[in-house]
Amino acid sequence: MAIITEEEEEPKILNPPKNKPKDSDFTKSESTMKNPKPQSQNPFLFWLYTTLIVSLATIIFISLSVFSSQNDPRSWFLSLPPALRQHYSDGRTIKVQVNPNESPIEVFVAESGSIHTENVVIVHGLGLSSFAFKEMIQSLGSKGIHGVAIDLPGNGFSDKSMVVVGGDREIGFVARVKEVYGLIQEKGVFWAFDQMIETGDLPYEEIIKLQNSKRRSFKAIELGSEETARVLGQVIDTLGLAPVHLVLHDSALGLASNWVSENYAIVRSITLVDASISPALPLWVLNVPGIREVLLGFSFGFETLVSFRCSKEMTLSQIDAHRILLKGRNGREAVVASLKKLNHSFDIAQWGNSDGISGIPMQVIWSREGSKEWSDEGQRVAKALPKAKFVTHSGTRWPQESKSGELADYISDFVSLLPRSTRRVTEEPIPEKVQKVLEEAKAGGDHDHNHGHGHDHNHGHGHAHAGYTDAYGLGEEWTT
């Protein structure tokens, strides 16, 4: 009987290699592993890339410097229209301290008329400036009233930003590029590379520390009711204006309300000109990218906005002047920041009937050419201030330029009905050296009077101070 045995089949290779490696390939691989070929690094490429990066940073910095020259105060001023340059030349600047821990800033003031008459201080709303009231203060000056218009910080020719040194504030790409370029200028191009060679790591902490310690950034001035109170108080004290007749236009009501409440004793009267908590100009649109560039970059855009919301009587040159002042030197940033600090819950009735303020004579000048909503707002203000005199003008919500004479007449007539202001003059003590000179001169005059025989009596009295120069350097002919 035959025995049948079954042989195992060898496994089939499904995917045989296409190219079977040769023995020579293994030999080459082994020889390569035993004797690896060194890779040559070309140092020329490193220096080439470094030079290109530094050159590119230099070009960017120079381009940005030229681009930002419009923010330079001198360049900006020279680019202004003649009317704005003339307005600045006719005014003056005053140093004020807005916050105790910050550097003083400059506030621009325009005035007209004699300071020895009634002083009318005009405070504008956000987005405006003293330039809008230049014709109005001139009209007041011609009527025998000293008119003063203030540029609140962040507006007009007053400072709109302050320099912040040090700190870890967030900055933009442009400022970051300038910082890097300044660090390269100070430490050298290869400073960080040398530090990396010595320590084995980039000196990130030292770089950040140097950047933060020498960082100079511009911070937009944020103006609220407390800051406005400090500014008004210092300007009035510096110019010696107290007591004052206060004129508040537009959103200046909310900004100046704190100062009035704290200083009602030196406020002779208050005139509200189309005053409201929110400004007539919709400043919120200046915070929208794209729209703000069109409105502030082109005259027709800003003219359309002003004509629609503020005034239809203003000329194109007047509107364009406001656009330029609002755009230049970070004005937009300052106004938008101040808009956020407005107290929209301000109650005019509660404020007007509070102790101290209720006894101040008030006048409300309101537009009769505005919308129905604005006329209703005027009636609401009149009911909130029942003791106030209510009159209307023929302009719109920004009447200060087209109806400057009409407004000046209302203010002048209102002020003239009140008793004349009396100013308290504080006599400064005479310096000790000056007092000694005066006493010696008086003693010498008495000696000549008692022992000067042969001299006319009246003549001796008439020249009691003869023989010495006036203590204040005016000369003896000015002495009485």
Side-chain angles (χ1 to χ4, degrees):
M1 185 174 179
I3 299 173
I4 300 174
T5 60
E6 186 176 352
E7 297 181 355
E8 295 182 0
E9 296 181 358
E10 295 182 358
K12 297 180 180 180
I13 300 175
L14 298 177
N15 295 319
K18 295 181 179 180
N19 296 323
K20 186 176 181 180
K22 300 178 180 179
D23 295 338
S24 60
D25 294 336
F26 291 106
T27 305
K28 287 182 181 180
S29 175
E30 291 177 359
S31 62
T32 304
M33 294 176 63
K34 291 180 180 179
N35 300 316
K37 185 178 180 180
Q39 295 180 358
S40 60
Q41 295 180 353
N42 190 355
F44 175 75
L45 294 177
F46 172 77
W47 297 115
L48 176 63
Y49 293 148
T50 304
T51 305
L52 289 176
I53 292 173
V54 174
S55 302
L56 181 62
T58 304
I59 294 173
I60 292 175
F61 176 77
I62 295 174
S63 302
L64 293 174
S65 300
V66 174
F67 177 75
S68 61
S69 62
Q70 59 180 349
N71 288 328
D72 177 63
R74 177 178 173 81
S75 302
W76 177 75
F77 179 80
L78 294 177
S79 66
L80 295 178
L84 285 176
R85 293 203 301 268
Q86 184 62 46
H87 177 67
Y88 180 81
S89 301
D90 294 339
R92 58 190 294 189
T93 55
I94 298 174
K95 290 280 189 180
V96 300
Q97 187 84 30
V98 178
N99 293 311
N101 58 341
E102 296 175 349
S103 301
I105 62 174
E106 289 188 347
V107 171
F108 180 80
V109 176
E111 52 188 333
S112 178
S114 174
I115 195 173
H116 301 293
T117 59
E118 299 295 319
N119 294 318
V120 173
V121 177
I122 303 174
V123 185
H124 64 81
L126 292 179
L128 283 168
S129 67
S130 61
F131 180 76
F133 299 90
K134 62 183 182 66
E135 295 181 2
M136 189 168 161
I137 61 175
Q138 291 173 359
S139 298
L140 291 173
S142 65
K143 297 177 183 298
I145 294 177
H146 182 218
V148 180
I150 302 174
D151 277 353
L152 293 177
N155 300 266
F157 288 106
S158 292
D159 285 344
K160 302 176 181 178
S161 58
M162 59 183 67
V163 179
V164 179
V165 180
D168 55 352
R169 296 177 63 249
E170 292 293 332
I171 60 176
F173 173 75
V174 175
R176 185 72 66 183
V177 171
K178 289 184 178 181
E179 277 190 356
V180 173
Y181 183 79
L183 188 62
I184 292 174
Q185 282 186 320
E186 179 183 356
K187 295 291 186 178
V189 177
F190 305 109
W191 169 75
F193 179 76
D194 295 338
Q195 294 291 321
M196 185 176 63
I197 295 297
E198 293 178 4
T199 62
D201 194 8
L202 281 172
Y204 290 112
E205 293 183 0
E206 188 172 354
I207 291 174
I208 294 174
K209 184 178 180 181
L210 282 171
Q211 287 178 337
N212 291 342
S213 63
K214 296 187 177 182
R215 176 174 294 168
R216 294 172 62 88
S217 57
F218 287 94
K219 176 186 176 184
I221 295 177
E222 300 178 2
L223 197 69
S225 58
E226 294 181 1
E227 293 81 4
T228 304
R230 298 190 190 104
V231 172
L232 283 178
Q234 293 177 59
V235 170
I236 291 173
D237 290 343
T238 301
L239 297 179
L241 300 177
V244 298
H245 300 270
L246 206 59
V247 177
L248 306 178
H249 173 245
D250 199 61
S251 56
L253 172 61
L255 292 172
S257 58
N258 273 14
W259 183 85
V260 177
S261 300
E262 296 170 358
N263 300 274
Y264 59 85
I266 61 172
V267 179
R268 294 284 291 112
S269 71
I270 299 175
T271 297
L272 305 179
V273 182
D274 292 283
S276 178
I277 303 304
S278 300
L281 188 67
L283 297 174
W284 61 269
V285 299
L286 300 182
N287 202 31
V288 181
I291 297 178
R292 64 193 182 195
E293 284 77 13
V294 173
L295 292 177
L296 296 180
F298 302 96
S299 300
F300 75 90
F302 195 72
E303 179 190 9
T304 303
L305 183 64
V306 171
S307 300
F308 179 70
R309 290 296 304 269
C310 307
S311 175
K312 300 182 183 298
E313 298 91 1
M314 294 174 62
T315 64
L316 180 59
S317 61
Q318 291 172 339
I319 297 176
D320 203 46
H322 294 301
R323 179 188 65 85
I324 293 172
L325 291 176
L326 190 58
K327 176 184 178 182
R329 301 174 62 197
N330 300 321
R332 181 196 66 82
E333 292 85 349
V335 170
V336 171
S338 300
L339 178 66
K340 298 177 182 178
K341 298 194 71 173
L342 287 179
N343 181 16
H344 294 280
S345 61
F346 176 78
D347 190 339
I348 187 173
Q350 182 179 359
W351 173 77
N353 295 288
S354 60
D355 295 339
I357 298 180
S358 60
I360 301 176
M362 286 194 187
Q363 175 180 223
V364 178
I365 306 178
W366 211 262
S367 169
R368 61 174 176 268
E369 299 295 332
S371 62
K372 183 181 183 301
E373 292 76 9
W374 190 242
S375 299
D376 295 339
E377 178 67 14
Q379 295 299 322
R380 189 186 71 83
V381 172
K383 291 179 181 179
L385 304 172
K387 297 181 181 179
K389 178 182 178 182
F390 188 87
V391 295
T392 59
H393 63 81
S394 58
T396 49
R397 292 186 63 175
W398 278 11
Q400 62 278 355
E401 290 175 273
S402 60
K403 306 298 178 183
S404 58
E406 185 178 351
L407 297 179
D409 289 338
Y410 277 133
I411 296 171
S412 175
D413 294 342
F414 183 65
V415 169
S416 63
L417 295 176
L418 303 175
R420 288 185 60 84
S421 301
T422 56
R423 293 181 177 83
R424 183 176 59 188
V425 180
T426 303
E427 294 185 0
E428 297 182 357
I430 300 176
E432 184 178 353
K433 292 182 179 180
V434 176
Q435 183 66 35
K436 186 176 180 180
V437 172
L438 292 174
E439 291 176 356
E440 291 177 355
K442 183 178 180 181
D446 293 340
H447 178 78
D448 293 339
H449 174 68
N450 294 329
H451 302 282
H453 299 287
H455 295 278
D456 182 70
H457 181 76
N458 293 331
H459 181 77
H461 279 286
H463 294 275
H465 298 283
Y468 78 96
T469 306
D470 177 63
Y472 295 97
L474 299 176
E476 58 184 50
E477 70 264 7
W478 288 91
T479 307
T480 56

